[in-house]
Amino acid sequence: MLELKGRSKSTTVYPLSGMSLLDMAMKHDIDWAFSCSRGTCARCRCLVEEGMEHLEEVTDAEWDRLEQSELEEGYRLGCQAVIKKGAGAATIKAVNRPYF
């Protein structure tokens, strides 16, 4: 299952392969901060508390916007963190943690 926590709302849903964490949050009306949805603003930054192995690899946009220490701590950009194929039975937990 996919657990998404926004600023004041949270939900647990079935993860859909090929969708980003931001896509899933928007689909389920979670108040997830974002501005661009392309990886340039970093407003959709989130902490993946569990299930990082069920997400696609870190993208160039994330390498450009996030510090190495943030990536090591489990931070991703919600718009770039895409659910891998076959992750339907996986457990993924992500919390929106924008800079501002």
Side-chain angles (χ1 to χ4, degrees):
M1 294 306 290
L2 172 61
E3 182 180 316
L4 299 167
K5 293 182 184 177
R7 292 177 300 208
S8 65
K9 293 173 68 177
S10 63
T11 192
T12 301
V13 297
Y14 186 79
L16 299 176
S17 300
M19 299 273 291
S20 71
L21 297 179
L22 177 60
D23 290 337
M24 293 296 294
M26 290 172 45
K27 178 179 173 77
H28 296 284
D29 297 321
I30 301 300
D31 52 348
W32 201 277
F34 75 99
S35 291
C36 72
S37 73
R38 308 183 294 282
T40 57
C41 75
R43 191 158 163 82
C44 63
R45 182 180 85 135
C46 61
L47 177 61
V48 178
E49 296 178 336
E50 185 177 341
M52 185 73 79
E53 67 275 14
H54 302 294
L55 301 174
E56 296 291 342
E57 296 296 318
V58 173
T59 66
D60 288 342
E62 291 174 293
W63 283 112
D64 291 344
R65 301 293 177 271
L66 299 173
E67 299 292 328
Q68 177 70 34
S69 60
E70 290 175 297
L71 292 167
E72 290 170 0
E73 290 173 32
Y75 283 95
R76 296 287 304 267
L77 297 181
C79 68
Q80 301 294 302
V82 174
I83 300 165
K84 286 183 180 178
K85 184 176 181 178
T91 298
I92 305 168
K93 294 182 181 181
V95 181
N96 185 217
R97 294 275 169 90
Y99 292 111
F100 44 92

